[in-house]
Amino acid sequence: MAANAKSRQTTLLAAFATWAAIVSVAAILGTYLGFGGRRFAFALVVAAVLFAFELFLAVPRVQEFARRSLGGHGPLLAPLVPLCAVLVYSFAVTGDWKWMLAGAAYAVVPALLLARSAGKQPGTWEDYIAAAVLWLPLQFHWTYKIFPYPAPLSHILSVLLALSAGVAAFVLLRRLDGIGYAFEWRRNFAWNFGFHFVLFAAIAISLGTRLGFLSFAPSLARERFFPLSTLGILFFTAWPEELMFRGVLQNLLSRTLKNEYAALVVASAIFGLSHIAHAPYPNWKYVALATIAGLFYGRAWMETKSLVPGTLIHTLVDVSWHILFR
């Protein structure tokens, strides 16, 4: 990390090392599971490119360079990486032109919508429609049909496409202030992380056990996968969800409603409702606990204007749940 007076920011070298390590692990796991050949190679390359887009643009200096380089060509160039990823995957892996067109539209429509909002205050109808276009196809697993092979990568590729299209639209093109899309560490982050995690854990464990949603059942088998589970949740669940629900949605709502706490409540309720489809459907217990979690994640973002503390809380909550509870 590179230090300055206010924060310690991740360098491109650190991001590259993280990227290389995780892509290598994915390749080894894929081979171990029996995948190989041309189709798997192209699927892995597409995942690696999209993951690089996620990681490298969270390096503040890289993000600033990308914004400067786009100049006045933002609507055309910002979604180029997710668009090319869809095209390469479709031509090389599936050959399905219908889902290729659907994926291409998914990659570029949010950017085209936000291009209409250039110069306007955040909170336009285009902002909200772009956010919905990004989230709903992923929420209902429609994007899984764009990436059907290999099955273990389907979810990850869908998340990476959504995240890349979202970063292209809201970070590079719309340049929405206060998202906090940067891997950095500031002095108040440790307190923010610890306070919100401990308080939420106390509430969630008490309420979850009373509702019959949680039961303490630690598993040594699940603990063996702790490092992989942590990395997977961090990069492919917590960070993307914090971008969408806090950095984008709560951010926009705070401007529309003119009240940060009202925005926190509404965004957290929407976050909670996004968990309703988990079995048994409708899972109102999960909705209630996820809404409360959203309040804590959102408050962490409010206090820091960074996705990092909320992402770390989110990750530790999910990892603790999978390892210690049923």
Side-chain angles (χ1 to χ4, degrees):
M1 287 188 167
N4 61 35
K6 294 183 179 180
S7 69
R8 292 175 62 83
Q9 299 178 345
T10 297
T11 63
L12 180 58
L13 180 60
F16 178 81
T18 302
W19 172 84
I22 292 176
V23 170
S24 298
V25 169
I28 293 169
L29 279 176
T31 303
Y32 175 77
L33 292 172
F35 296 105
R38 176 177 172 275
R39 294 176 71 211
F40 178 70
F42 272 102
L44 185 63
V45 167
V46 167
V49 169
L50 290 173
F51 187 42
F53 198 74
E54 170 186 352
L55 279 182
F56 298 166
L57 282 169
V59 177
R61 291 181 180 177
V62 175
Q63 186 181 130
E64 185 55 38
F65 173 79
R67 285 177 166 179
R68 286 199 312 268
S69 300
L70 285 174
H73 303 289
L76 292 175
L77 299 180
L80 194 59
V81 170
L83 173 61
C84 288
V86 168
L87 297 179
V88 169
Y89 179 94
S90 298
F91 278 117
V93 179
T94 65
D96 189 329
W97 65 269
K98 292 181 180 178
W99 282 106
M100 179 186 72
L101 292 177
Y106 181 83
V108 302
V109 165
L112 294 178
L113 282 166
L114 295 186
R116 291 173 52 90
S117 294
K120 300 177 184 177
Q121 289 296 315
T124 65
W125 68 265
E126 292 96 340
D127 290 331
Y128 288 105
I129 295 297
V133 168
L134 285 167
W135 184 252
L136 291 178
L138 181 63
Q139 173 70 26
F140 292 105
H141 299 174
W142 298 334
T143 48
Y144 286 20
K145 295 181 180 179
I146 301 170
F147 303 112
Y149 175 88
L153 270 181
S154 184
H155 172 72
I156 291 175
L157 280 163
S158 297
V159 169
L160 288 173
L161 177 63
L163 183 64
S164 298
V167 170
F170 283 100
V171 177
L172 296 183
L173 178 58
R174 186 65 163 118
R175 304 188 183 186
L176 181 62
D177 289 336
I179 289 180
Y181 193 87
F183 293 143
E184 62 177 352
W185 189 262
R186 296 200 291 271
R187 243 184 285 179
N188 64 328
F189 281 11
W191 161 254
N192 185 285
F193 163 75
F195 173 78
H196 288 102
F197 173 74
V198 170
L199 189 55
F200 172 68
I203 293 171
I205 292 172
S206 175
L207 181 60
T209 51
R210 286 176 180 272
L211 291 174
F213 182 78
L214 293 177
S215 61
F216 185 65
S219 167
L220 290 175
R222 293 196 297 270
E223 287 175 5
R224 288 203 298 268
F225 296 99
F226 174 79
L228 286 178
S229 298
T230 301
L231 287 174
I233 291 169
L234 173 66
F235 290 114
F236 308 123
T237 298
W239 184 255
E241 289 187 357
E242 291 309 300
L243 168 66
M244 184 53 60
F245 286 100
R246 261 57 71 176
V248 173
L249 181 60
Q250 187 175 328
N251 194 342
L252 291 173
L253 286 169
S254 67
R255 300 163 193 269
T256 300
L257 301 175
K258 311 294 185 187
N259 186 307
E260 280 194 322
Y261 288 95
L264 171 63
V265 171
V266 174
S268 298
I270 295 172
F271 177 69
L273 285 170
S274 74
H275 294 76
I276 196 171
H278 289 263
Y281 176 84
N283 197 330
W284 291 108
K285 294 176 182 179
Y286 202 172
V287 168
L289 287 169
T291 299
I292 296 170
L295 293 172
F296 283 89
Y297 304 157
R299 192 170 184 275
W301 174 82
M302 278 173 55
E303 291 185 351
T304 61
K305 288 299 183 285
S306 168
L307 299 179
V308 170
T311 295
L312 294 178
I313 300 165
H314 194 154
T315 300
L316 188 55
V317 166
D318 283 8
V319 169
S320 301
W321 175 28
H322 288 303
I323 290 178
L324 299 178
F325 296 91
R326 298 288 289 180

